[in-house]
Amino acid sequence: MTSLDLITIGRSSVDLYGAQVGGRLEDMASFNKYIGGSPTNIAAGTARLGLKSALITRVGDEHMGRFIREQLEREGVDVRGVKTDPERLTALVLLGIRDDKQFPLIFYREDCADMALCEEDIDPQFVAEARCVCVTGTHLSHPNTEAAVLKALACARDSGARTALDIDYRPNLWGLAGHGAGESRYIESEKVTAKLQSTLHWFDLIVGTEEEFHIAGGSTDTIEALRAVRKVSGATLVCKRGPMGAVVFEGNIPTSLDEGQTGEGFPIEVFNVLGAGDGFMSGLLKGWLTGEDWPTSLKFANACGAFAVSRHGCTPAYPSWTELQYFFRTGIRDRALRKDVLLEQVHWSTNRTGEWPEMRVFAFDHRMQLEAMAREAGVGNERIGAFKTLCLDAALEVSAGKTGYGILCDGRLGRDALYKAAGSGLWIGRPVEWPGSRPLTLEPEIGVDFGGLVEWPVDHVVKVLCFYHPDDSEDMRAEQEATIRRLFAAARRNRLELLLEIIPSKVGPTDDNTTAAIIERFYEIGVYPDWWKLEPMKSEASWANACDAISRHDPYVRGIVVLGLDAPSVELEQSFAIAAKFDLVKGFAVGRTIFGEAARRWLAGEITDAAAIEDMSKKYRELCQVWDRARAPKGEER
């Protein structure tokens, strides 16, 4: 029995992509960090397409090695084959987009971790779990890594798995060019040709560009090179031809490339070719390993390559299976795919990492209310920060390392608590609105250009409360909507999720359609929150209307959390009972019901830290139990 569709073997690195486009790599001022390396990209790309993928590689015993492992896990890749090298560093690559033809890159791979891969790293039982083993050419360039690759291929043959090669020729990784020639894709070498040809018989599928087949076949005439490869391998050959698509040859090589099998192509604007081949390979493997014919497999491959060419980064550019099917239905609406707003929404929402089917959120992002309590107690606002760390301690005690728990905490008064929460496993939401503002204004730290978000950790969720009502004046509505639209765009640009909180009952009268009407309006102006935070509506009709409005516009939304409005526990239990009937409601985000009494007494010096934590933990735990009971099917207790 095979539990994996695919194992890839070889390079893994951290890609540092220049954030500025159109300048020299020398002049880059900032970089975006992604996972990289051809086998790593392919493992993630195929996982996004629904294959059960794994990677065999080595990473360093440091922060970047942990980043690769954790990001692969977030992408759904099996990391049992990712070994930690205690002596070597994880490879790094610096990349840039100079224009539509120049893409400079520098490999930092001197004695890096993945080049220490050896035969001992290959577990035959692990390899036997896969239906296919895919290797890339770079790891044939060194005796130790070559031995590891050949052992994996032998294990694959023994278990009856398919084998695939992406030639992935990088001359400077074969020692044929200097560090500054990372962009070079072809340098003739009899030694490299001989090495490749000695291994080609291992493969059922061989994929490469025309230049890569030139090195594999020992000729700069593509037909002659393909025929030379055919003499030593019976593999299906897939030759990539850039904007002309790709061709497949299963048998003898004809006199023209145009005689090969082809698939539908997608003429799009070239923005970034780096990683396009790995995107192509991901789509090709998806088709090949799910029994599609070659024209269909090439269609998948060409489309995945087109996505990569049109976006920033390698793995982040690759589509999900849902996104790919959406693209096939809609076609090319903008040749610059990254500028197709609806396509980008599907890309964002179907490639978010982390699952939050349940949300039990302790909200202590309150600022105005706690400042009032501090004044009443006669203490400075610095005490509020200390109290918020106690709130976090209570949240950690109740969550006890389990999933489905979170916090809302601000960065102005609760900075230390946010620092401490990093890496805890809690969902973290962070408010940006100035407390009580209407029209909406934001905390000064966000900045007039909203540039403050660039400093946020990417796992923080931007939470904004907007006091909005359908009966607002035209000027009020226009000003608040403009702020929300800018915030939404800024959050996406900084790869941050957005939670939009609306409380219309604080502004004017409401009925069963009020909240739904507000939701409709925000989608109408192009705002797609990842999360909604809604007040505890008292009728099922209100909830049904709101959930319907969200589902019709965004079937991929994370969900809804119910806020508390400082309600007593009995009232909250009643509101939870109604909200929990709707699957789109994932849980609650409640604050003062949990911390109100403890805050007043602690700020007044009446109770100790431990007593405050104990009181809040008890109330938070009880509230979690109330929600769990409301959510449990009839007759069941959770």
Side-chain angles (χ1 to χ4, degrees), residues 310-537:
S310 189
R311 289 171 173 156
H312 196 269
C314 298
T315 294
Y318 302 155
S320 66
W321 180 245
T322 299
E323 179 186 358
L324 192 63
Q325 298 308 301
Y326 175 86
F327 177 63
F328 290 155
R329 290 194 304 271
T330 62
I332 299 171
R333 293 181 295 221
D334 189 323
R335 292 183 72 250
L337 297 183
R338 68 193 179 282
K339 296 180 181 178
D340 183 330
V341 174
L342 294 178
L343 179 62
E344 285 300 289
Q345 167 60 23
V346 177
H347 177 67
W348 167 268
S349 58
T350 60
N351 288 299
R352 287 175 302 217
T353 57
E355 297 293 332
W356 297 98
E358 296 179 309
M359 287 281 281
R360 308 173 190 87
V361 179
F362 182 5
F364 49 91
D365 57 327
H366 304 66
R367 288 142 287 162
M368 187 168 59
Q369 298 90 339
L370 281 166
E371 286 170 332
M373 291 182 189
R375 285 194 300 272
E376 184 181 332
V379 299
N381 285 348
E382 69 278 359
R383 293 292 288 161
I384 298 174
F387 178 73
K388 292 196 176 202
T389 62
L390 302 183
C391 294
L392 173 64
D393 289 340
L396 291 171
E397 181 178 312
V398 174
S399 64
K402 299 186 294 293
T403 60
Y405 294 83
I407 61 169
L408 278 169
C409 180
D410 65 291
R412 173 159 56 90
L413 299 174
R415 185 190 64 178
D416 291 344
L418 284 178
Y419 287 168
K420 186 176 178 180
S424 66
L426 292 172
W427 179 93
I428 301 173
R430 184 169 166 183
V432 295
E433 76 280 350
W434 185 255
S437 61
R438 178 175 150 83
L440 175 65
T441 58
L442 305 187
E443 286 273 0
E445 70 173 271
I446 304 304
V448 294
D449 62 348
F450 295 13
L453 293 180
V454 75
E455 300 176 1
W456 284 31
V458 293
D459 61 345
H460 285 195
V461 176
V462 179
K463 172 259 178 183
V464 60
L465 165 58
C466 184
F467 291 104
Y468 186 104
H469 195 281
D471 296 337
D472 284 340
S473 68
E474 186 175 335
D475 288 345
M476 174 67 73
R477 183 169 61 250
E479 183 172 348
Q480 297 210 115
E481 288 177 358
T483 301
I484 293 292
R485 289 181 68 186
R486 289 184 62 205
L487 181 64
F488 172 67
R492 285 291 173 86
R493 186 172 292 276
N494 288 285
R495 295 184 284 164
L496 299 167
E497 293 187 23
L498 175 71
L499 181 151
L500 178 54
E501 178 179 3
I502 52 175
I503 314 178
S505 68
K506 294 290 187 181
V507 181
T510 62
D511 58 28
D512 289 345
N513 296 302
T514 304
T515 296
I518 296 172
I519 291 168
E520 292 272 4
R521 177 56 184 167
F522 278 112
Y523 283 125
E524 183 181 330
I525 64 173
V527 175
Y528 285 76
D530 301 273
W531 294 96
W532 289 91
K533 188 180 178 194
L534 305 180
E535 60 184 309
M537 296 176 283

